[in-house]
Amino acid sequence: MAQIAEDLFLLLLDNATAQPALERQRRERVLAAGVLLDLALACRVRPSAPGDAVEQGRLVALQAGASADPVGEPAFALLQRQPLSPERAVAKVSKGVQDVVAVHLERLGQISRVKVPSSRFKPLYAWPLTRRERVAAARTDLLAALFDRRPPTAATAAIITVLHAADGLGALLSLNDRGWRWVHSRATEISSGSWVDEYPTALPEVNLAVTASALRSALS
């Protein structure tokens, strides 16, 4: 299950227009990072390390075999063919990633797709939420981690890290200067990987934190 990428898309959709927030290029890079972090949490990719047979810091595939996740499998296959730098991995995975995530969420019954009037050659769609339980839970977890200092789950920590690196938290929150100072401080803390010590973690969470750290520069 591509929880991080899917929850990111749902959170960005949670507005009156049923259109995802953030401009398209930044949004696609955020979703691509979410897909890669889902693979990291599943221990299917990680950054290379000293002693590996590839250049240090490249994202590498860890295991072969297909999964049942239609969102993450193309990105995994890409890294199976060739380890990539975080920047190149994000750039390649971002191509078409929004449509893949949206179609999958539509199949899951989380959103519907509605064609909206547009003068553009390519059809324009809105994706109204059909169920709010999942996005409400994701938003509650995000707000609790940022404002109540509740130890974030792995998925919530990844979402905060990705949005903070891409300067995208403003798409979800409307705050005064004092509120933004607090959020910036707490998001920076979470992005540094401190949540690994706050939350009961094992290898998948540690691998997620390490991979998220590697991806941050590709989003800034």
Side-chain angles (χ1 to χ4, degrees):
M1 176 180 175
Q3 180 179 356
I4 297 165
E6 291 172 17
D7 283 357
L8 271 166
F9 188 68
L10 290 173
L11 285 165
L12 291 172
L13 268 181
D14 192 18
N15 56 60
T17 66
Q19 293 282 346
L22 301 179
E23 68 274 15
R24 186 174 184 92
Q25 184 177 24
R26 185 159 49 135
R27 182 170 69 244
E28 288 174 340
R29 293 174 72 83
V30 161
L31 292 174
V35 169
L36 292 167
L37 291 179
D38 278 312
L39 291 172
L41 186 58
C43 288
R44 303 194 75 201
V45 304
R46 66 164 171 81
S48 57
D52 288 338
V54 299
E55 184 179 343
Q56 187 172 349
R58 299 287 176 115
L59 295 182
V60 297
L62 289 177
Q63 63 183 44
S67 74
D69 177 18
V71 175
E73 203 56 34
F76 179 72
L78 177 72
L79 293 173
Q80 273 190 304
R81 291 193 293 272
Q82 179 186 11
L84 296 171
S85 68
E87 291 77 10
R88 287 195 66 199
V90 167
K92 286 180 173 292
V93 174
S94 68
K95 296 176 181 177
V97 68
Q98 175 176 298
D99 291 338
V100 172
V101 175
V103 167
H104 185 58
L105 285 169
E106 186 180 5
R107 288 172 180 162
L108 292 175
Q110 294 290 331
I111 60 176
S112 60
R113 182 171 58 166
V114 178
K115 190 173 182 179
V116 297
S118 173
S119 59
R120 295 161 55 180
F121 177 76
K122 187 176 180 180
L124 181 65
Y125 295 98
W127 290 277
L129 297 168
T130 56
R131 302 176 60 181
R132 296 199 58 86
E133 297 90 345
R134 180 170 173 182
V135 70
R139 180 177 285 277
T140 296
D141 288 347
L142 182 142
L143 295 177
L146 289 175
F147 294 103
D148 300 334
R149 300 192 64 85
R150 190 176 77 186
T153 64
T156 300
I159 288 168
I160 291 171
T161 298
V162 166
L163 289 175
H164 182 53
D167 194 24
L169 285 168
L172 308 185
L173 305 171
S174 180
L175 303 168
N176 59 23
D177 288 345
R178 182 180 179 183
W180 278 120
R181 286 194 296 270
W182 174 276
V183 164
H184 177 73
S185 175
R186 176 60 174 157
T188 299
E189 186 180 358
I190 291 171
S191 297
S192 72
S194 67
W195 64 274
V196 173
D197 298 323
E198 297 177 4
Y199 189 79
T201 53
L203 179 59
E205 289 82 9
V206 173
N207 188 54
L208 174 67
V210 172
T211 308
S213 178
L215 287 174
R216 285 166 60 190
S217 63
L219 296 170
S220 58

